Amino acid sequence: MTRRPTNPRDAAEAAFKAATAKPERAKEAPAVPGRREQVTLRVDSAVIEWFQEEGPGWQDRMAEALARAAGKA
């Protein structure tokens, strides 16, 4: 009986593959209607000011305007 039952090169390759393997991504949940997603968007300051003039809720108003422009509202 040998002290090392496996080939050291094979063991090293297996350890390297295990250490560098990308983890499997979890499947995304199906889209929920009406769900909102946070994004970063660059918008002219004049456009932001126009929406903010009417006070709180400007982000909702901007989202509604974008939805209408996209034909989704």
Side-chain angles (χ1 to χ4, degrees), residues 23-50:
E24 189 172 321
R25 291 181 58 177
K27 293 185 179 183
E28 293 183 20
V32 176
R35 187 182 119 216
R36 292 183 163 202
E37 184 174 339
Q38 183 175 351
V39 297
T40 300
L41 177 68
R42 294 184 185 271
V43 179
D44 291 339
S45 59
V47 173
I48 299 285
E49 290 170 5
W50 186 83

Side-chain angles (χ1 to χ4, degrees):
M1 184 169 207
T2 62
R3 295 181 73 188
R4 294 187 182 166
T6 60
N7 180 341
R9 177 179 228 137
D10 293 339
E13 286 180 7
F16 179 78
K17 285 181 183 178
T20 59
K22 292 183 181 179
E24 189 172 321
R25 291 181 58 177
K27 293 185 179 183
E28 293 183 20
V32 176
R35 187 182 119 216
R36 292 183 163 202
E37 184 174 339
Q38 183 175 351
V39 297
T40 300
L41 177 68
R42 294 184 185 271
V43 179
D44 291 339
S45 59
V47 173
I48 299 285
E49 290 170 5
W50 186 83
F51 279 99
Q52 289 177 336
E53 283 175 359
E54 293 185 27
W58 67 270
Q59 293 164 318
D60 292 329
R61 290 189 298 276
M62 183 181 277
E64 290 170 9
L66 287 169
R68 282 192 309 271
K72 301 293 181 182

